[in-house]
Each structure stands twice: as C-alpha cells, then as structure tokens.
Amino acid sequence: MMTTNATDLLGTLKELHRDKLTLRERHVAVARHVDHYDFNNTYQYAINREDVHLSWLETAIAELGGTPDQVPALELPSPGRKGKSNAFTSLVDEDARSAEACVTKWRARVDGISNIRHAKMVDVILGETLEHRRFFAQIAQGNEQVLGTRMAGAGTGNGVMGVRWIE
C-alpha cells in the first residue's frame, strides 16, 4: 500500500516506532541477563543505535503532527543461573529471530513510502536492524569479538555493571 498522504505516512511511522520500541525494550530486558562483558557491550551498542532510530522516528512523527505511542517496559524471567555459560543464549536467539521478522515485515513496506526522506530513513533503520540480527547470531555462537578485538592485556574490569548508566 502506498503512503501518499500525511495521515497514511503518520500511521506507518507510528507503527514502525511501536515495533522498534518493542524491540528496544526487549533488548534492554535481555541485556540485564547478559553478564558476559563483550556480549553485554554489544547489547548496549544495539540499544544505543535503537535510541537513535527512535529519535528519528519521533521527530518525523512530530513533524506530521503526531505523538508516538509508548510500550510498557519488559521484565524477563532469568534464563538460568548467572555466570553459567550460555544461560542467556535462548534469549539472544529469540532477539535474532525478532530482528529478522521486523526487517521482513518492513522491507516489503519501504517501497510504499512515497516520501523519499522518510523511505530512506526507514531503509537505514532496517539495515541497522539487520546488523543487530547478525550481532545477536554471533553472540549465540559464542563469538566474543562481535564488536572487535580487545588490545592485548586489556581486561574487562570484573564483568558487567548492575546499571546501564552512571551519572
């Protein structure tokens, strides 16, 4: 369906915002269970990029006179004992599948967005969502170098902190 008027475009962008916000909230919830330093850093990177995507969508929605919907924060039960190797793998696998499903759903709809600026924005968001899917698949496979190789002798500072931001 072609989004040729502002009302259709607003509805489309609000729906994508809801989908991306839902994914972001899930990634925040999963990150609380990922106690492996490198894997948690990868989640923090993905969450940070999703915050950027959401800000782009929120700006576009506001420019069209709309207000983005909110979704509730998500709490996930523990996937297993902390410190146990791969206890969180099932959560990460599900995140990879969810990212793929999001891209599949929205890739088919990008061509229907007649506003070129918004279509390109959605295309960039989908491309980065595919990158996140690759990250999650690599985490599930145990690849500790998803974001790169640490300098020789550099440590992780005794693991993951209990909170995302410290001010």
Side-chain angles (χ1 to χ4, degrees), residues 70-136:
Q70 297 301 310
V71 300
L74 182 62
E75 290 294 326
L76 296 173
S78 176
R81 195 176 46 139
K82 283 258 188 211
K84 181 182 176 221
S85 177
N86 301 330
F88 50 80
T89 301
S90 63
L91 298 174
V92 176
D93 279 334
E94 187 174 331
D95 284 345
R97 287 190 304 274
S98 295
E100 181 74 32
C102 179
V103 170
T104 299
K105 172 184 176 178
W106 284 97
R107 184 67 71 201
R109 295 179 68 180
V110 172
D111 290 339
I113 299 174
S114 60
N115 180 300
I116 299 300
R117 181 172 65 103
H118 294 315
K120 293 292 185 188
M121 172 187 67
V122 172
D123 198 42
V124 169
I125 290 170
L126 296 179
E128 289 193 16
T129 302
L130 278 179
E131 180 182 33
H132 299 163
R133 182 199 48 82
R134 285 188 297 274
F135 288 166
F136 299 143

Side-chain angles (χ1 to χ4, degrees), residues 35-55:
D35 55 353
H36 184 286
Y37 184 83
D38 295 309
F39 299 158
N40 191 280
N41 274 353
T42 303
Y43 263 88
Q44 298 308 319
Y45 174 82
I47 293 164
N48 184 45
R49 289 306 301 163
E50 288 169 328
D51 287 343
V52 171
H53 301 160
L54 291 168
S55 74

Side-chain angles (χ1 to χ4, degrees), residues 161-167:
M161 297 173 61
V163 295
R164 183 164 176 227
W165 301 112
I166 295 180
E167 297 189 29

Side-chain angles (χ1 to χ4, degrees), residues 12-78:
T12 298
L13 295 177
K14 285 182 70 167
E15 183 182 350
L16 177 57
H17 181 272
R18 267 190 315 276
D19 288 355
K20 285 298 295 180
L21 183 56
T22 299
L23 285 177
R24 185 233 185 249
E25 291 303 314
R26 165 142 174 111
H27 297 155
V28 169
V30 171
R32 290 187 185 108
H33 296 289
V34 177
D35 55 353
H36 184 286
Y37 184 83
D38 295 309
F39 299 158
N40 191 280
N41 274 353
T42 303
Y43 263 88
Q44 298 308 319
Y45 174 82
I47 293 164
N48 184 45
R49 289 306 301 163
E50 288 169 328
D51 287 343
V52 171
H53 301 160
L54 291 168
S55 74
W56 292 345
L57 289 164
E58 289 162 6
T59 298
I61 290 167
E63 287 173 355
L64 293 168
T67 304
D69 297 331
Q70 297 301 310
V71 300
L74 182 62
E75 290 294 326
L76 296 173
S78 176

